[in-house]
């Protein structure tokens, strides 16, 4: 059974970088053909897809965040990471990591981690 | 970007009712449509993929239909545990987008 777990600071100051890591267990991040994804949800609002990194290492980002975003993978640790630069209060949300297959349906999710942007 | 519009935004129904939630895409997306259920404080759970395929382990009272730009999620006989927010999501081509959600109260 694949499990995902987000980790990282719960509080980030405005203009700084939000950094989160997703640890995958129950399967190798480098096997199969999957999109390892980040999705966020502001309090009381809907879901916003942030971007993904494919098993091959290629990435695709939401155009609304492009330019501030990096997603990387560390196969030795079975982890993938999110870096979002120059954050503002609008980036405050619960951040989820998730796995998607080739048809981009998200079948496994982390429990989510709340990140608050505030001074 | 492909925009996804769900209706209604919220609804209230009774145990045993048949409930339908609709989702419309801003362009044709073939059958590239998934449905999720989210309960408060929890991550979304995939219910239906490719418009009408039920994920293993999901109760058979859930069903999905549609293709092109118009889709529906139907719960044939509502149960108390179905109280949740439901989201559609297109998987046609990145960027992936979700509907705004439908809050179902029982």
């Amino acid at each position: 059974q694949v499990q995902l777990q987000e980790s990282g600071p719960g509080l980030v100051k405005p203009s700084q970088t939000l950094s989160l890591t997703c640890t995958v267990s129950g399967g190798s991040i480098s096997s199969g053909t999957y999109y390892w994804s980040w999705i966020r949800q502001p309090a009381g609002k809907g879901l916003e897809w942030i971007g993904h990194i494919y098993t091959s290492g290629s990435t695709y980002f939401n155009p609304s965040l492009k330019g501030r975003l990096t997603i990387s993978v560390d196969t030795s640790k079975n982890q993938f990471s999110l870096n979002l630069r120059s954050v503002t209060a609008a980036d405050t949300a619960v951040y989820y990591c998730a796995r998607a297959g080739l048809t981009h349906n998200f079948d496994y999710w982390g429990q989510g981690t709340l990140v608050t942007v505030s001074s | 970007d492909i925009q996804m519009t769900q209706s209604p935004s919220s609804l209230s129904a009774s145990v045993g009712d048949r409930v339908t939630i609709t989702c419309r895409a801003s362009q044709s997306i073939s059958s590239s449509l998934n449905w999720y259920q989210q309960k408060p404080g929890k991550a979304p759970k995939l219910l239906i993929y490719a418009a009408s395929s039920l994920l293993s382990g999901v109760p058979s009272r859930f069903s999905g239909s549609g293709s092109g730009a118009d889709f529906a999620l139907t719960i044939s006989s509502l149960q108390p545990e179905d109280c949740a927010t439901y989201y559609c999501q297109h998987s046609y081509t990145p960027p992936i987008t979700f509907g705004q959600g439908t809050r179902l109260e029982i």
Side-chain angles (χ1 to χ4, degrees):
Chain A
Q1 178 78 351
V2 174
Q3 293 184 326
L4 292 84
Q5 177 70 57
E6 305 89 351
S7 59
L11 181 64
V12 181
K13 289 182 167 49
S15 80
Q16 294 192 341
T17 297
L18 182 161
S19 296
L20 294 174
T21 296
C22 182
T23 300
V24 179
S25 58
S28 171
I29 201 170
S30 56
S31 67
T33 48
Y34 297 109
Y35 296 96
W36 301 97
S37 307
W38 290 97
I39 294 159
R40 69 181 182 179
Q41 185 173 37
K45 296 189 177 181
L47 299 161
E48 180 184 27
W49 177 75
I50 296 171
H52 68 230
I53 186 164
Y54 189 49
T55 306
S56 65
S58 63
T59 55
Y60 196 105
F61 303 141
N62 189 321
S64 68
L65 297 170
K66 199 172 183 179
R68 296 199 292 140
L69 196 53
T70 303
I71 297 178
S72 59
V73 65
D74 186 338
T75 55
S76 67
K77 295 181 179 179
N78 226 35
Q79 297 174 334
F80 64 105
S81 298
L82 166 72
N83 282 306
L84 182 64
R85 296 175 290 278
S86 304
V87 297
T88 69
D91 296 307
T92 294
V94 173
Y95 285 75
Y96 294 101
C97 58
R99 187 188 85 168
L102 288 178
T103 54
H104 292 287
N105 54 64
F106 301 103
D107 56 355
Y108 289 100
W109 295 67
Q111 65 186 23
T113 187
L114 174 62
V115 179
T116 301
V117 178
S118 174
S119 55
Chain B
D1 299 2
I2 299 172
Q3 304 304 315
M4 308 301 295
T5 303
Q6 286 181 236
S7 61
S9 297
S10 65
L11 77 148
S12 182
S14 300
V15 173
D17 283 355
R18 181 182 180 89
V19 169
T20 297
I21 299 167
T22 63
C23 179
R24 173 166 286 181
S26 58
Q27 67 178 70
S28 176
I29 57 171
S30 185
S31 296
S32 302
L33 192 283
N34 309 304
W35 289 98
Y36 299 83
Q37 176 193 68
Q38 186 180 33
K39 296 186 177 180
K42 300 293 187 182
K45 289 178 57 178
L46 179 64
L47 298 176
I48 289 169
Y49 61 97
S52 60
S53 295
L54 194 68
L55 191 70
S56 177
V58 174
S60 58
R61 62 181 180 273
F62 290 92
S63 64
S65 62
S67 66
D70 292 302
F71 302 87
L73 170 71
T74 299
I75 307 173
S76 60
S77 179
L78 200 60
Q79 299 301 304
E81 60 267 30
D82 299 335
C83 178
T85 300
Y86 293 84
Y87 293 93
C88 63
Q89 171 238 327
H90 87 80
S91 52
Y92 188 66
T93 185
I96 292 159
T97 53
F98 293 84
Q100 80 278 17
T102 295
R103 186 173 180 178
L104 175 56
E105 297 179 341
I106 301 174

